[in-house]
Amino acid sequence: MDELLNEFLTETNESLGTLDVELVRFERDSSDARILGNIFRLMHTIKGTCGFLGLPRLEAVAHAGENVLGKFRDGELSVTPNAVTQILRCIDHIRQLLAELESTGKESEGNDSALIAEINAIVTAPVTAPATAVDADPADAPPVFDDAGFPVAAELLAEVAHALGPHVSLPDAAIAETAHTSGAPVESRRSRTQQLAREMQAVEAKEAVPTASSIRVNVDVIENLMTLISELVLTRNQLMQLQRVQKSSEFKVPLQRLSHITSELQDGVTRMRMQPIGNAWAKLPRIVRDLCVESGKKIDLIQRGADTELDRQILEIIKDPLTHMIRNSADHGIEDIADRVASGKSETGTIVLEAYHEGGHIFIRIADDGRGLDSERIHRKVLSKGLASEAELAGMSEQQIQQFIFCAGFSTAEKVTSVSGRGVGMDVVRTNVERIGGTIEMTSIAGQGTTFLIKIPLTLAIVSALIVEAGGQRFALPQINVIELVRASARSAIRIETIKNAPVLRLRDRLLPLVSLRALLELGEEDANSARFILVTRVGAATFGIVVDRVFDTEEIVVKPVAPILRGNPFYAGNTILGDGSVIMILDPNGISGAAGQGQTQMSEPTTQSHTTTGTNEHVSLLLFRTGSAELKAVPLEAVARIEEVDVQSIEHVSSQPVVQYRERLMPLIAIDDRHVWKGTGRQPVLVFDRGGRSFGVAVDEVVDIARERIAIQLQPLREGLMGSAVVAGKAADLVDIEHYIAREFEGWFGTQGEAA
């Protein structure tokens, strides 16, 4: 395949992608002459170029589509969905013919008369050929070929002049002279055509305005350059490591210069790989438009941040997941017009697709104002497919149940269509996103819509990582996931505590679940007396701590794929080579976060003796919270089994007693302050207490902090249910007598009053 044909295929495919987007925009606003002019120019250029290259099938199909666009332009044909659909069919067929041309190197044989007839049928007035060549509009007539098969230069020049637009004018004398020589011998006309082409280039070079220059580079060239840069980074790291070990001042300055140049070169090549995320969105307006035509819905797709750039490799990976999620929102999420009107919504549904940079990541938000997820239908589908038992589902929140849509083969569609119902989709979406180190979160409210938030890295090739050690082995953790670094020891104010054998860290206003890397990877026992480092890590909406023995420094590492033998291990994302030549594993925060979640509910058993203590010389850990007012209240931390957030919709009533299904049992809920207002929507914070194998919950407004104090009652209680008031963490707080509420509220539930006390 020659270079001219390669250039034609590349540019024409780009033009077809633009036509897809512009046609959908034009259908929404058919009064915009600028959009129509751009569409007509692109189609006319495709037709003229096909004629020049001698591709009659492509030229005929493009000419049929151009006829319809010409009628739009002249105001002789109304812009209807059917007419736009036919032009889109024309574009799809051209794309198919181009694919065949690219694979074989020549235009395939075939008959497109049926498609051309359907396209021509929508033109209300038949298009007839002009009576004379003088009156003919070159845009409405195909190029003329002589007996030898060469295009006649006069018509060809007119085609080119029309495609170039009004800012470039061709020599009138040249066109006229060429028209007179159309009967001359073939070689003479070919020579004259080449001369006229040179004159055209001179005219265009003289009249064209300066523009930014660009060249086309094969992707393989850029990928190879990125590989070389990666090796250069590794070599740079090795040299820097040698300089640190030998402490040679002679090479210090040259190595710093080398490091600086390497970083700039790496940044430059990385920018070469960057592409606007809008490239992955180009087909989405067309997809939504076709779904609207097929289903009769009205959907407005709003795109924001299309110029946000990310790595080409990541762009290719997320293109299909984005397409599937938009199709899901249009098919599953947005209701029919009648249903939207009945629910008080506008006829037109809205899908918002937004991308933005934040903290070294790309965030992609897909939100619709549709019906939201049907939790009851998901519940029934989970049971029918055996993914969970009724008892297991009873202990889950609504949001947890909704997460089943990410399971393989899961679909709530009632019938199989061209869009949905086959059970292939959201599991692939999550797999693709997590494969590139990303996360996906979902929130859905029935009747209001669903929102997905995807978080992905900017690039996969070279990342900044924190080098740590656990059990004598070094590991790399992507720095982008690390929020802060905390040092804990038994002799400092910051230390690791345990609640029911689960390690936690009290970090400012919250309890942080911890995962020991030693224990997780079975690297030996820990020394409880030695100082340890905690990497406060965030994955999606979850925050947890990774406990390590040592922290070295940050280093730019080249990510290598994990060995096949370790691919089943969820804690590794790959491996890399350090500056000293050693190979270390790259930790996967997504896999480690699962281990952190397993330890969050393991709390210590309460002891009755500490519950009733009103004064002691020893330090006692207290949980501070608010309920019903701004006043602080405190309860011994060891009395609290768990801290939960209960979905308000899951709260039921038995004999006027609020209850919730919790761990296959009914758990009663109480408010210890008469001023407490139960939430109507969202999630209700609850302190869970265990007694005799049963649980009950205390509804609170918020959990404030955990403090370790010597309890000294300074004021006697003013009402029942309190043990008194004391200073906790520098503030006055009421100490709650939780045993009082067990005796008052749950006599007969937990046993006799005496047993409860």
Side-chain angles (χ1 to χ4, degrees), residues 479-748:
Q479 194 174 358
I480 198 66
N481 295 101
V482 180
I483 304 174
E484 61 180 303
L485 181 63
V486 179
R487 186 177 186 273
S489 68
R491 294 182 296 274
S492 66
I494 300 177
R495 56 185 174 275
I496 298 175
E497 304 175 30
T498 57
I499 300 178
K500 264 198 173 177
N501 299 322
V504 295
L505 178 73
R506 182 166 62 88
L507 185 63
R508 291 184 288 276
D509 60 344
R510 62 173 300 172
L511 277 177
L512 189 72
L514 300 179
V515 175
S516 170
L517 199 58
R518 268 179 176 261
L520 188 67
L521 302 179
E522 300 179 358
L523 300 176
E525 297 293 331
E526 293 179 327
D527 183 2
N529 297 321
S530 62
R532 283 172 286 177
F533 295 90
I534 299 168
L535 309 176
V536 182
T537 308
R538 177 174 295 158
V539 175
T543 303
F544 60 97
I546 302 176
V547 183
V548 298
D549 299 338
R550 296 176 62 189
V551 175
F552 294 97
D553 54 8
T554 59
E555 193 168 310
E556 289 183 331
I557 61 173
V558 179
V559 179
K560 302 292 185 181
V562 69
I565 194 173
L566 295 175
R567 282 179 187 165
N569 192 316
F571 307 130
Y572 299 134
N575 56 64
T576 189
I577 304 174
L578 294 181
D580 59 3
S582 59
V583 178
I584 65 172
M585 301 303 299
I586 303 173
L587 299 174
D588 184 0
N590 291 288
I592 297 176
S593 68
Q598 295 173 8
Q600 292 184 50
T601 59
Q602 302 299 322
M603 299 290 182
S604 59
E605 289 288 346
T607 57
T608 305
Q609 183 179 358
S610 63
H611 298 166
T612 56
T613 301
T614 58
T616 178
N617 291 325
E618 297 181 358
H619 284 84
V620 178
S621 294
L622 299 171
L623 179 68
L624 299 175
F625 61 94
R626 290 189 177 95
T627 178
S629 66
E631 301 167 359
L632 279 177
K633 294 179 175 59
V635 67
L637 179 61
E638 63 182 5
V640 182
R642 286 167 296 277
I643 302 174
E644 300 281 3
E645 284 191 345
V646 177
D647 190 343
V648 171
Q649 302 298 323
S650 66
I651 298 178
E652 305 172 79
H653 288 79
V654 177
S655 300
S656 300
Q657 169 70 57
V659 296
V660 66
Q661 297 182 33
Y662 184 74
R663 299 192 174 187
E664 304 183 23
R665 291 194 178 190
L666 288 178
M667 181 174 74
L669 303 177
I670 64 170
I672 63 174
D673 194 308
D674 295 337
R675 295 168 292 179
H676 173 76
V677 178
W678 293 82
K679 290 189 175 183
T681 59
R683 307 184 72 80
Q684 172 67 58
V686 173
L687 306 183
V688 179
F689 299 87
D690 284 341
R691 289 295 184 277
R694 290 182 175 270
S695 302
F696 74 97
V698 175
V700 301
D701 296 334
E702 63 172 335
V703 175
V704 177
D705 198 357
I706 295 176
R708 190 171 178 84
E709 298 280 350
R710 287 190 178 92
I711 299 179
I713 302 297
Q714 300 184 18
L715 294 176
Q716 294 303 312
L718 300 179
R719 64 179 180 87
E720 293 183 344
L722 300 178
M723 294 187 292
S725 301
V727 176
V728 181
K731 296 182 180 180
D734 291 328
L735 302 180
V736 177
D737 182 5
I738 202 65
E739 303 298 333
H740 167 82
Y741 293 98
I742 295 177
R744 189 186 73 177
E745 302 285 344
F746 305 118
E747 184 176 2

Side-chain angles (χ1 to χ4, degrees), residues 141 242 258 312 363 380 391 409 420 468 492 502 542 563 567 599 698 729 745:
L242 288 174
L258 174 64
R312 185 197 66 84
F363 287 84
R380 294 193 299 269
S420 59
V468 301
S492 66
R567 282 179 187 165
V698 175
E745 302 285 344

Side-chain angles (χ1 to χ4, degrees), residues 63 126-133 135-137 140-142:
H63 183 65
V127 180
T128 57
T132 63
D135 299 328
D137 183 356
D140 295 329

Side-chain angles (χ1 to χ4, degrees), residues 89 111-119:
R89 287 185 61 202
N111 188 353
D112 308 308
S113 57
L115 174 63
I116 294 174
E118 290 180 19
I119 296 174

